[in-house]
Amino acid sequence: MHTPLTEPPAEAGADSLEDQKAAITRLGHELRTLVETTVRTAASPDTLHRVADGVRQVTAQLTGRRRARAEIPEVDGFPGGPRMYSPVVGAGSPLAPPVSITPTDDGLIGHCTLGLAHEGPPGYGHGGMSAMLLDELMGQACTAAGTPGMTVSLQTRYHQPIPLETPLRILGRVTGTDNRKVFVTGTITTEADPSTRLVSADGVFIAPDPDRARALFPGLREEA
């Protein structure tokens, strides 16, 4: 029987958390490999049924306590820190490319490569993936600039399709603020040709007031 979802997570030491992150990262890598292989395979129906049975057996091994919907994982640094299960940057997410992010002089730069699991038109990334990549980088740019906020609007322009299996660069930069509003720009290019924009965006983010933040994120620690 699973532990009740209402039970708070046990406190974990730094070493234990690092071990947990390492295990999550390893499993995330293997799951992404499985997902990518699944969308590429031309295996027979018998093979696919056999693999599906095996995956069901593996899933059944993930026993124990399950995280509740609004619960913030102990391994996460929310807000402002690494998100292990983010569908964009999470090392533990089977959905994420994932994107690695480094600071620049005036913003953030992300690096990733989209696979067939992220395909829209044959050979190219889904347009929704482009918007998600930009939303993440632009939101993190807000936090890096000391003005964390949530997306209010994201105006996206698609100049050229995003090629799959091609190293990409995603830029996010804060351009201004107005009270609690933060104005941000973003672009996606290839690593090989950073001067040619494939997708660009302008966004408005807004910092929720403390009461609103507590209502939205009841699991947020008070000091955060």
Side-chain angles (χ1 to χ4, degrees), residues 11-111:
E11 291 294 327
D15 290 344
S16 177
L17 283 178
E18 289 307 311
D19 289 344
Q20 186 75 3
K21 288 179 182 179
I24 290 169
T25 298
R26 182 183 178 195
L27 178 58
H29 171 77
E30 297 302 333
L31 288 173
R32 286 189 294 275
T33 300
L34 174 62
V35 169
E36 186 68 15
T37 303
T38 298
V39 300
R40 285 178 174 272
T41 188
S44 69
D46 286 345
T47 297
L48 295 178
H49 283 302
R50 185 170 64 253
V51 171
D53 290 338
V55 171
R56 183 183 299 112
Q57 292 173 13
V58 169
T59 301
Q61 297 180 46
L62 296 175
T63 59
R65 183 182 180 279
R66 294 178 182 269
R67 177 163 60 96
R69 181 185 67 85
E71 182 182 331
I72 300 171
E74 284 290 301
V75 292
D76 271 11
F78 182 80
R83 303 294 309 282
M84 292 298 295
Y85 298 110
S86 161
V88 184
V89 299
S93 171
L95 307 177
V99 178
S100 62
I101 299 177
T102 55
T104 67
D105 290 340
D106 62 350
L108 296 177
I109 180 171
H111 306 270

Side-chain angles (χ1 to χ4, degrees), residues 149-172:
M150 300 177 67
T151 314
V152 173
S153 68
L154 187 70
Q155 183 178 9
T156 308
R157 291 172 295 280
Y158 296 87
H159 307 283
Q160 297 184 41
I162 300 288
L164 299 177
E165 300 182 328
T166 302
L168 303 174
R169 291 163 57 102
I170 311 108
L171 300 177

